[in-house]
Amino acid sequence: MPTDLLQEDEARYLMHTYARWPVSIVRGRGCKVYDLEGREYLDFVGGIAVNLLGYSHPDLVAAIQKQAQQLLHASNLYYTEPQVKLAKTLVDHSFADKVFFGNSGAEANEAAIKLARRYAHLKYGPDRFEIVTMQQSFHGRTMATLTATGQEKVQKGFEPLLPGFTYVPFNDLAAVERALSPATAAVLLEPVQGEGGVRVADRAYLQRLRELCRQRDILLIFDEIQTGMGRTGTLFAYEQLGVAPDIMTLAKGLGGGVPIGACLATDPVAAAFTPGTHASTFGGNPLACAAALAVFEVLLEGKVLEQGRRMGEYLAKGLKDIEERLPVVKEARGLGLLQGLELTIDGKPVAADCLARGLLINCTAERVLRFIPPLIIAQREIDRLLETLSTVLSKRV
């Protein structure tokens, strides 16, 4: 079916929740995707940081095929080996002691919010339930996670929001201190705000925040849904920022394209969840866990993680060069292969121009171009991105 007819049927049959580009992607290989008409695109969006190993990675495809032939799904009333093996792998390579599996980032953050509230309730009583989050953050689209999100545009029209959330400026410790009260159960933030404009948390700020939470027995929650699984150059962003949280959430790259989310916690915190307090029908099913195990094995082998780290540095350097040369660029910033270019102009026409030249990029926060390619991205592919960006932005100087 041609793209224009697909657009007509989409408008007729799907709820209008996405502002889509006029492209129908039918297949992908490596870091490239192909549309219905056979056009090729170099992908610096990567399913919004999901396609960690690119498209059609043989190890991931083989793991999915093998598991689908063996067992697609089983209720969480029973044990399955992929789920337990994945939990052990996550624990072995992080600060955490226990894992809860869901289907998405929003579900992982829902679990984190519930776990923090229940931990505080059991330890301090029902009056300790508030969660401090950051302005310009993004934590999901469910009622609890959109309330946790510090952006009015995400919340507008869904009021009344859930009680118990307070928002403070990002990277501002004094603001956090002012917001804390005897009712505070947790502080929730992203080490790098992706949707909020690719803003990196200051290392010293995070370290002081960690100490502040420890002093007051307030839980520190890191939303690593976008920054986790090697995206920033280490398995998890907290490793290079020198601060371990009490709870961490993962999704996006975890399954390499198969939906899965995870909420990780230390033993004392995780103990607040007991049978019947939280659950997910599809969470941690064998197919999703087998896919995530395959992704993990590729990352732990080291080559892809190292490739992502080197390419992140190369991309950051190239974007910095563009910032210095072109006045329409306000700032280049980011960590690893989560990079952003803040413009002085609207970013969407720039993304559209890149699309017309066979390059997929994302625009967030209206003026920030976001680059989140697969970790297998090659230097020559980054060179093509930088060359195209230079051309497109030079026209707007």
Side-chain angles (χ1 to χ4, degrees), residues 203-395:
R203 185 184 176 92
Y205 159 76
L206 283 183
Q207 291 174 341
R208 292 198 295 273
L209 181 60
R210 171 70 279 182
E211 187 55 33
L212 185 62
C213 289
R214 187 177 288 117
Q215 289 169 357
R216 304 193 187 194
D217 197 19
I218 292 168
L219 298 181
L220 181 61
I221 307 172
F222 280 175
D223 177 341
E224 290 232 28
I225 284 162
Q226 190 161 150
T227 55
M229 301 304 293
R231 170 60 54 190
T232 63
T234 49
L235 267 180
F236 311 110
Y238 81 81
E239 296 174 276
Q240 57 187 299
L241 295 171
V243 173
D246 301 296
I247 300 174
M248 175 174 71
T249 54
L250 300 172
K252 289 193 178 288
L254 180 59
V258 177
I260 183 171
C263 174
L264 288 69
T266 60
D267 258 335
V269 177
F273 272 171
T274 54
T277 53
H278 197 53
S280 172
T281 295
F282 295 103
N285 89 1
L287 184 73
C289 290
L293 276 167
V295 171
F296 234 120
E297 286 171 7
V298 171
L299 291 182
L300 293 177
E301 190 184 41
K303 293 179 185 174
V304 169
L305 198 55
E306 175 57 26
Q307 170 80 359
R309 187 181 301 120
R310 286 191 295 105
M311 291 303 101
E313 292 170 359
Y314 187 76
L315 175 59
K317 185 179 176 185
L319 294 174
K320 201 69 182 173
D321 175 65
I322 291 177
E323 175 201 321
E324 291 169 357
R325 288 190 290 108
L326 300 176
V328 291
V329 177
K330 184 177 179 182
E331 184 183 20
R333 56 180 181 250
L335 204 60
L337 281 174
L338 172 50
Q339 294 289 331
L341 206 59
E342 183 172 359
L343 308 178
T344 60
I345 56 176
D346 185 4
K348 194 167 182 181
V350 176
D353 205 340
C354 288
L355 178 70
R357 297 164 188 263
L359 186 68
L360 303 184
I361 65 170
N362 173 247
C363 174
T364 188
E366 297 182 358
R367 294 189 172 191
V368 181
L369 304 180
R370 179 171 46 168
F371 311 99
I372 35 181
L375 302 191
I376 61 169
I377 195 79
Q379 185 171 320
R380 66 179 182 283
E381 292 171 323
I382 293 177
D383 286 339
R384 181 181 158 192
L385 166 83
L386 297 172
E387 185 179 337
T388 304
L389 274 178
S390 293
T391 302
V392 168
L393 291 173
S394 294
K395 293 193 312 179

Side-chain angles (χ1 to χ4, degrees), residues 187-210:
V187 175
L188 164 63
L189 74 160
E190 303 149 284
V192 182
Q193 289 189 334
E195 189 71 22
V198 191
R199 301 193 298 162
V200 183
D202 181 75
R203 185 184 176 92
Y205 159 76
L206 283 183
Q207 291 174 341
R208 292 198 295 273
L209 181 60
R210 171 70 279 182

Side-chain angles (χ1 to χ4, degrees), residues 14 17 49 72 75 106 155 226 312 387 396-397:
L14 270 78
T17 56
L72 204 56
S75 161
Q155 302 168 337
Q226 190 161 150
E387 185 179 337
R396 290 164 168 82
V397 172

